[in-house]
Amino acid sequence: MGLLDEARELSIYTAYNTNVDAIVYLKEETVQGLINEFGAETIQRRMEEYPRQINEPLDFVARLVHALKTGKPMEVPLINEELHMWFDSHFKYDVERMGGQAGIIANLLANLNFRKVLVYTPHLAKKQAAMFVNKPNLFYPVIEDGRLIFKHPYEAYRDGDPVKVNRIFEFRAGMTFKLGSETVTVPFSGRFIVSARFESIRIYTEPGLKPFLPEIGESVDGVILSGYQGIKPRYSDGKDANHYLREAKKDILLLKREKDVKVHLEFASIQNRELRKKVIYNLFPLVDSVGMDESEIAHVLNALGYSKLSDRIFTYNRIEDTVLGGKILIDEMNLEVLQIHTIYYIVYITHADNPLSEEKLRQSLGLATNLAAARASLGEIRSPEDFKVGLSVPYNERGEYVKLRFEEAKRRLRTKEYRVVIIPTRLVKNPVSTVGLGDTISAGAFTSYLALLRRKGEL
Ligand code: AMP
């Protein structure tokens, strides 16, 4: 039986973040229509003010026109919840798809026919629920008559729940439009993202569900948590990041209460350094496994006070620095396993007493990159058979070179106390999409790691 088949025997719980990515491929006439509607002069005045948030439609139009003029990719938060209607009446979305790590991972594992995929997201509007794949192994926890039951997310949606829609406006170089007397030609292709940052969107477990977390933890083989980057420093009702992180800690402890279920935290970049530090110090010590990419390890090290090492990783991207940073992190946070993915290689760093051999750890990373290559080739993984597509994608050559350099460096770095395993990635030349590839690597790595532990009788 292949490793993927073994991983598919597992049941996984994943939370918290989901959103809808609504994509608009911008047309010249749409942009011209907006300019005519709001008036060139009015827009130009607002462009000079350079609004940093979108509170009314004119803010959006001004920042969009600015992005088109410069051709630079931009992201601006939408803070006024009432603007949904305005956007939806002005644009037809060409594609709507699942966004957010928990949502992406739940759909991926469900499509791979995992035994049971339990997904929890605190806000489940009808539109969000409709983004989940229609698979019989996918469940959402619901409390009915004081009991915990499971339904397909689509059967569990709640009218009135807020929905986080990230609107992505894709533009192409060469588009032209008139802004008053000026003719604007878009210099580069790119995207303008209007990201929903509403007060009402929170990262937490509803109080009614919380007492059932031990039962959920006991019923699954692994837990994948993500979305902490969505916590805001403070909210208008007086709650703050400390509050939500205390609750997040309780969630992990509750999931582990009946059985020490393995928990993986998928880390995403957090701009605010204080918040980043809080997430690391509060949560890393409670989980078993952490996944991140190369720039995130640099950010993490910076927050932990290793600014020189962090700068080195940012500037030179040297594998020995990444590995050194990884060792520091697993020691300080006492993690069982840390997985770092970069464009050219993926690495596991564990302590030397990890139950899995280097060979087994390598197999797990191999599965992860196969899965990502399949997704990059196809845009999405719809069935276990799709996995095979990844096997025909060659390993990148730079990765081989990096691996060699690492073997040399290994002699210099003291690695006796650690197990460090690295593989080159299978890299797709013209990926259909790069959205969710990191999440795919982490989900593939963690679940196959669990499957290998189980094979050894360690799970
Ligand atoms: P993240 O930065 O977390 O979104 O993760 C992106 C990861 O996806 C990279 O570290 C690569 O390992 C992988 N990846 C990116 N582009 C490709 C590609 N074209 N083909 C296969 N894997 C890719």
Side-chain angles (χ1 to χ4, degrees):
M1 197 163 60
L3 185 51
L4 179 62
D5 292 323
E6 282 175 62
R8 280 167 39 200
E9 305 263 295
L10 304 174
S11 296
I12 301 291
Y13 175 71
T14 184
Y16 299 84
N17 58 331
T18 60
N19 65 264
V20 176
D21 281 342
I23 299 158
V24 178
Y25 300 111
L26 270 179
K27 294 195 198 76
E28 287 175 352
E29 40 306 357
T30 314
V31 178
Q32 198 63 63
L34 286 170
I35 293 171
N36 297 345
E37 183 181 339
F38 285 84
E41 260 181 54
T42 317
I43 296 170
Q44 277 160 328
R45 264 202 305 277
R46 188 59 59 94
M47 279 166 76
E48 274 162 32
E49 288 166 25
Y50 199 72
R52 298 202 175 262
Q53 297 180 325
I54 297 169
N55 198 26
E56 56 170 330
L58 184 58
D59 295 332
F60 161 73
V61 179
R63 286 298 305 264
L64 174 69
V65 173
H66 180 268
L68 292 170
K69 271 185 87 167
T70 57
K72 285 207 182 122
M74 303 242 182
E75 179 166 343
V76 186
L78 171 64
I79 51 166
N80 182 347
E81 216 151 325
E82 283 159 22
L83 289 193
H84 270 319
M85 296 268 283
W86 182 84
F87 277 104
D88 292 351
S89 63
H90 274 71
F91 299 97
K92 215 185 122 295
Y93 305 109
D94 294 291
V95 185
E96 286 190 316
R97 64 173 179 224
M98 176 67 85
Q101 293 149 308
I104 288 171
I105 290 171
N107 277 352
L108 170 73
L109 299 182
N111 276 340
L112 285 171
N113 290 348
F114 270 60
R115 182 181 297 271
K116 222 168 50 178
V117 181
L118 310 182
V119 60
Y120 175 70
T121 189
H123 312 292
L124 191 65
K126 188 171 182 179
K127 195 181 180 95
Q128 186 66 64
M131 299 283 124
F132 283 98
V133 294
N134 186 11
K135 297 284 287 192
N137 56 345
L138 181 59
F139 300 98
Y140 185 90
V142 179
I143 309 302
E144 265 179 22
D145 303 325
R147 280 181 35 242
L148 174 68
I149 58 164
F150 290 96
K151 297 183 173 179
H152 186 275
Y154 196 69
E155 254 101 59
Y157 75 81
R158 292 168 295 244
D159 288 320
D161 261 20
V163 50
K164 178 171 160 68
V165 179
N166 286 346
R167 294 178 174 84
I168 303 175
F169 297 87
E170 303 237 25
F171 50 84
R172 301 241 141 254
M175 286 173 60
T176 58
F177 55 87
K178 281 190 84 83
L179 184 64
S181 55
E182 187 185 355
T183 302
V184 177
T185 303
V186 178
F188 306 103
S189 299
R191 52 178 54 177
F192 180 72
I193 301 177
V194 178
S195 58
R197 289 285 157 73
F198 300 149
E199 276 273 325
S200 56
I201 306 275
R202 311 251 171 140
I203 294 292
Y204 75 118
T205 301
E206 293 148 275
L209 178 61
K210 219 148 166 131
F212 294 95
L213 287 178
E215 192 177 327
I216 290 176
E218 195 182 11
S219 74
V220 294
D221 303 295
V223 173
I224 303 178
L225 300 176
S226 58
Y228 303 107
Q229 69 274 18
I231 296 176
K232 302 215 274 182
R234 58 191 54 75
Y235 297 84
S236 60
D237 60 4
K239 298 220 169 72
D240 61 7
N242 287 335
H243 167 82
Y244 284 100
L245 285 168
R246 270 198 305 274
E247 292 303 318
K249 286 205 284 199
K250 283 187 209 158
D251 284 4
I252 298 171
L253 295 172
L254 286 168
L255 283 162
K256 281 176 169 285
R257 199 173 75 189
E258 294 302 314
K259 167 177 103 182
D260 187 13
V261 63
K262 300 272 184 214
V263 176
H264 173 89
L265 187 156
E266 186 58 17
F267 189 77
S269 56
I270 302 175
Q271 295 303 322
N272 181 322
R273 188 170 178 271
E274 285 311 305
L275 194 62
R276 193 190 314 144
K277 207 164 148 181
K278 277 181 200 283
V279 168
I280 299 164
Y281 278 107
N282 277 276
L283 304 180
F284 281 21
L286 299 183
V287 303
D288 305 278
S289 165
V290 170
M292 62 181 70
D293 71 18
E294 198 175 29
S295 69
E296 284 148 9
I297 181 82
H299 278 124
V300 166
L301 290 166
N302 181 281
L304 297 186
Y306 297 90
S307 53
K308 276 201 190 128
L309 180 57
S310 162
D311 289 345
R312 277 215 308 274
I313 295 176
F314 271 127
T315 323
Y316 304 112
N317 285 316
R318 279 199 309 244
I319 179 150
E320 52 269 40
D321 291 332
T322 304
V323 170
L324 178 60
K327 288 177 179 176
I328 292 173
L329 192 58
I330 67 162
D331 274 338
E332 295 209 354
M333 300 294 150
N334 202 359
L335 297 172
E336 178 174 320
V337 55
L338 171 67
Q339 175 261 114
I340 303 171
H341 45 272
T342 77
I343 188 87
Y344 297 116
Y345 64 88
I346 316 178
V347 58
Y348 265 144
I349 301 159
T350 75
H351 286 112
D353 63 356
N354 188 282
L356 298 186
S357 65
E358 281 195 15
E359 183 46 37
K360 291 282 179 299
L361 291 169
R362 200 168 290 121
Q363 275 181 30
S364 167
L365 293 181
L367 183 140
T369 191
N370 283 350
L371 216 49
R375 184 179 173 113
S377 306
L378 300 169
E380 207 184 325
I381 292 177
R382 291 190 179 79
S383 74
E385 286 71 49
D386 284 351
F387 178 74
K388 294 198 193 90
V389 176
L391 295 169
S392 59
V393 175
Y395 286 100
N396 80 84
E397 285 156 21
R398 289 251 315 254
E400 279 301 333
Y401 164 73
V402 171
K403 207 170 122 186
L404 264 176
R405 247 196 24 220
F406 171 67
E407 294 303 330
E408 279 169 26
K410 215 171 167 178
R411 281 175 227 130
R412 273 182 282 123
L413 290 164
R414 270 182 296 135
T415 46
K416 259 207 218 99
E417 297 147 49
Y418 307 91
R419 201 160 289 158
V420 182
V421 170
I422 163 173
I423 65 151
T425 53
R426 294 183 189 265
L427 213 53
V428 177
K429 284 238 165 61
N430 295 305
V432 173
S433 159
T434 55
V435 177
L437 289 182
D439 305 334
T440 302
I441 289 177
S442 292
F446 179 62
T447 57
S448 58
Y449 178 85
L450 294 180
L452 289 163
L453 284 184
R454 175 185 258 200
R455 201 195 274 176
K456 276 204 77 179
E458 301 261 356
L459 189 76

